[in-house]
Amino acid sequence: MAAVGVRLIQKVSSTRVFAKVAPHVIPAMDRAVHRLTRGKVLPSARMLPGVILTVRGARSGLPRVTPLACMPEPAGSWLLIGSNFGREGHPAWTGNLLKHPDAEVSWRGETIPVRAEPLTGEERAAAWRAALEFWPPYATYQARVEREIRLFRLTRR
């Protein structure tokens, strides 16, 4: 994607209107297209790389399927950022991973068993710096909320 297009998308994704609308539109679109293409296409991945996370619900224990932006790491792991589009409250999937760290992701049509590790301390600080370099709007999301945005590293099991 051209640099001008990326900057425009970053600017739009930093707005409060986007934070209100996107959580209702983007995941539903991603789930539908992902299902129709048997895991081969994830529309939001045109903006950012993405996975479909399947994790057991913290309270229900039932499988919860959530399309998420991710930051692929050189070691083959993925960084997940619980930004919730800069809205108050941690996204439900982060609570699910805290309770049930064994999950799976669909990544480029492949289903991969993973283990989630919540990041803290210097490891979190380094990952946050990398996330901001990767997608600067995360800084806007953090500035809008009082909570510390949760970060998770997913590694293959």
Side-chain angles (χ1 to χ4, degrees):
M1 193 179 298
V4 172
V6 170
R7 283 195 301 274
L8 177 62
I9 289 170
Q10 288 176 349
K11 186 173 179 108
V12 168
S13 72
S14 295
T15 66
R16 290 187 188 276
V17 170
F18 184 85
K20 284 185 178 197
V21 174
H24 304 288
V25 176
I26 293 174
M29 179 184 61
D30 275 348
R31 273 192 289 272
V33 172
H34 189 261
R35 189 172 41 252
L36 289 170
T37 63
R38 297 187 178 129
K40 295 199 177 22
V41 177
L42 193 62
S44 66
R46 302 278 296 149
M47 289 188 299
L48 283 170
V51 296
I52 300 288
L53 173 72
T54 303
V55 60
R56 288 188 299 140
R59 288 189 289 263
S60 71
L62 298 173
R64 301 296 184 206
V65 178
T66 310
L68 297 169
C70 69
M71 189 179 109
E73 296 182 304
S77 54
W78 298 268
L79 187 65
L80 296 183
I81 298 96
S83 68
N84 206 13
F85 297 94
R87 298 179 307 154
E88 284 302 326
H90 294 289
W93 63 265
T94 67
N96 296 342
L97 283 179
L98 289 172
K99 177 105 185 222
H100 302 289
D102 288 333
E104 61 182 39
V105 294
S106 174
W107 169 252
R108 298 182 175 163
E110 181 184 357
T111 300
I112 303 165
V114 294
R115 178 137 183 108
E117 173 194 359
L119 301 182
T120 60
E122 182 49 42
E123 191 175 22
R124 185 201 181 280
W128 182 248
R129 286 189 297 273
L132 292 179
E133 216 173 283
F134 181 71
W135 191 250
Y138 287 134
T140 303
Y141 297 168
Q142 181 63 77
R144 262 191 250 159
V145 298
E146 304 233 349
R147 67 183 171 84
E148 181 177 71
I149 290 175
R150 292 174 176 163
L151 301 181
F152 291 85
R153 175 163 290 120
L154 301 182
T155 53
R156 294 170 188 255
R157 288 190 275 137

